[in-house]
Amino acid sequence: MGSAFVVRYETTPEAADENQKLVEAVFAQLAEQRPGGLSYASFRLDDGVSFLHVGYVDGDDNPLNASTAFQEFQREFRSRVPDGPVFSGGALVGSFGFGAPA
C-alpha cells in the first residue's frame, strides 16, 4: 500500500535560489536513475520563497532516501529554512497523471 506526502516550507530570501537548485538536482538524479514506486512534484510558489513538495510512494520504501542529491538537499536544510517545514502524510484519494492508479 502506498502513501502520499505534502511538505510546505518558506526559505530565507537569500536561500531561495540555492534551494531551487538543490531541488532541481534531486529531479535530475531521479530522471537519470528512474526509480520505481515514486511520483513526485515540487513547486516554488509565487512569493518566491515558499516551496511545496507533493509525492506518492507506492510501497514501504521511499526512493528519495537512496538519492544522494536528496541527501545533499537535506544537508543544510535548517539554515535555508529556519522555521522548519510543515509535513503532512496522507492517502491518495484520486489523481490524474500523478501517483498510483485510483
Side-chain angles (χ1 to χ4, degrees), residues 57-77:
V57 177
D58 187 19
D60 295 329
D61 296 323
N62 185 338
L64 286 173
N65 295 330
S67 164
T68 56
F70 186 70
Q71 292 167 11
E72 180 64 19
F73 165 77
Q74 290 184 313
R75 189 169 58 85
E76 293 187 19
F77 186 78

Side-chain angles (χ1 to χ4, degrees), residues 2 7 9 16 21 23 27-29 31 47 56 59 63 65 69 75 78 102:
V7 181
Y9 57 88
K21 288 177 185 166
V23 170
F27 282 97
Q29 186 175 48
D47 65 7
Y56 181 83
N65 295 330
R75 189 169 58 85
R78 296 300 267 164

Side-chain angles (χ1 to χ4, degrees), residues 22-89:
L22 290 164
V23 170
E24 289 169 346
V26 171
F27 282 97
Q29 186 175 48
L30 290 173
E32 181 181 304
Q33 295 179 346
R34 308 205 54 78
L38 175 67
S39 296
Y40 183 41
S42 179
F43 305 88
R44 185 173 182 176
L45 303 184
D46 286 342
D47 65 7
V49 295
S50 294
F51 290 80
L52 179 71
H53 300 253
V54 180
Y56 181 83
V57 177
D58 187 19
D60 295 329
D61 296 323
N62 185 338
L64 286 173
N65 295 330
S67 164
T68 56
F70 186 70
Q71 292 167 11
E72 180 64 19
F73 165 77
Q74 290 184 313
R75 189 169 58 85
E76 293 187 19
F77 186 78
R78 296 300 267 164
S79 67
R80 296 188 313 274
V81 183
D83 293 329
V86 175
F87 178 88
S88 298

Side-chain angles (χ1 to χ4, degrees), residues 4-25:
F5 62 88
V6 177
V7 181
R8 183 180 175 143
Y9 57 88
E10 187 175 310
T11 65
T12 62
E14 317 69 57
D17 289 340
E18 175 189 1
N19 191 76
Q20 180 171 331
K21 288 177 185 166
L22 290 164
V23 170
E24 289 169 346

